[in-house]
Amino acid sequence: MAEAERIIGTPDIPEAAGDGPEQSGPDSEETAAAEQDGQRPGSEPDGAAEAEAEAGAEAGSAGKGKRKIAVLFAVAVVAYALDLISKMIVVAKLEHHEPIELVGEWLRLSAIRNAGAAFGFGEAFTIIFTCIAAAVIVVIARLARKLYSLPWAIALGLLLGGALGNLTDRLFRSPGVFEGAVVDFIAPKGFAVFNLADSAIVCGGILIVLLSFRGLDPDGTVHKD
């Protein structure tokens, strides 16, 4: 028997699973190529990951910018509405009547029509001041596209609301379009008579000066001269 087995030969025994040679194919070739490039199979290239990160950052910045623009227009709407409503009440209830004393002689409500700029200056240049107010509105609208600072949004909103309030008077009140007289009614003692639109413009201007001194730009960056 031993001699017969030696002559015939021993049949091959299949190797255990996992001990055989690795199978070659397209998948194994891609895996080997990826390992040679220092990447794990199925992972995205570093360039794609960086592009996705940049896209996410840009989307986040755009979202913040939209929120600041929303704040700007919300402040402008509130300032404009308060000015418009107050002028309607003054024209209906106070014009052609005696002034109302709020704090004795120190602060009164007295309705007047002002053809000049804020606080009664420059009555001979009504049309020029109307054009300036319109230009301010256009400039603020252009700045809004690059707005990422909340304080700047509030400041520009005050300026926009005040400019719109007085521009409405210039366009729709007598004596005519672009020459209309602004309704003023807040009369401190020893000071010019003004309205809420003037107050919004002054507050917005002061805030812009303070932000400029601090080096804060409308896009949210801070610089030091």
Side-chain angles (χ1 to χ4, degrees):
M1 288 293 295
E3 187 64 17
E5 290 177 358
R6 185 181 63 80
I7 296 173
I8 297 174
T10 304
D12 295 336
I13 300 175
E15 296 183 2
D19 294 338
E22 297 182 355
Q23 297 179 354
S24 61
D27 294 339
S28 61
E29 292 178 359
E30 292 179 1
T31 302
E35 290 176 352
Q36 289 179 359
D37 293 338
Q39 300 175 356
R40 291 178 299 178
S43 63
E44 296 182 355
D46 294 339
E50 291 178 359
E52 289 184 0
E54 291 178 358
E58 291 178 357
S61 299
K64 292 180 180 179
K66 290 181 179 179
R67 287 194 290 271
K68 300 303 183 294
I69 294 174
V71 171
L72 185 156
F73 285 108
V75 173
V77 168
V78 171
Y80 177 73
L82 291 175
D83 178 69
L84 184 62
I85 293 171
S86 65
K87 289 174 179 175
M88 292 173 63
I89 295 174
V90 166
V91 171
K93 302 295 184 181
L94 187 59
E95 199 169 32
H96 308 303
H97 291 78
E98 291 295 323
I100 298 175
E101 295 185 352
L102 296 180
V103 187
E105 296 181 354
W106 294 97
L107 180 61
R108 300 187 303 172
L109 298 180
S110 178
I112 66 169
R113 295 294 181 112
N114 173 24
F119 308 111
F121 298 111
E123 294 187 1
F125 304 98
T126 305
I127 296 179
I128 295 177
F129 292 131
T130 303
C131 295
I132 291 175
V136 169
I137 294 171
V138 173
V139 170
I140 293 174
R142 291 177 64 88
L143 282 176
R145 295 181 299 177
K146 299 180 180 180
L147 186 62
Y148 294 95
S149 168
L150 180 60
W152 270 96
I154 295 173
L156 293 177
L158 290 171
L159 283 180
L160 180 59
L164 285 172
N166 284 338
L167 183 61
T168 300
D169 286 354
R170 305 289 188 194
L171 295 177
F172 299 106
R173 296 194 186 277
S174 60
V177 178
F178 292 106
E179 297 180 353
V182 175
V183 176
D184 290 335
F185 57 92
I186 304 174
K189 184 178 181 180
F191 196 71
V193 184
F194 58 97
N195 55 43
L196 295 183
D198 297 332
S199 301
I201 292 172
V202 170
C203 292
I206 293 174
L207 182 54
I208 287 175
V209 171
L210 294 176
L211 294 174
S212 299
F213 272 117
R214 293 186 58 186
L216 181 61
D217 292 334
D219 61 1
T221 59
V222 179
H223 68 272
K224 294 183 180 180
D225 296 333

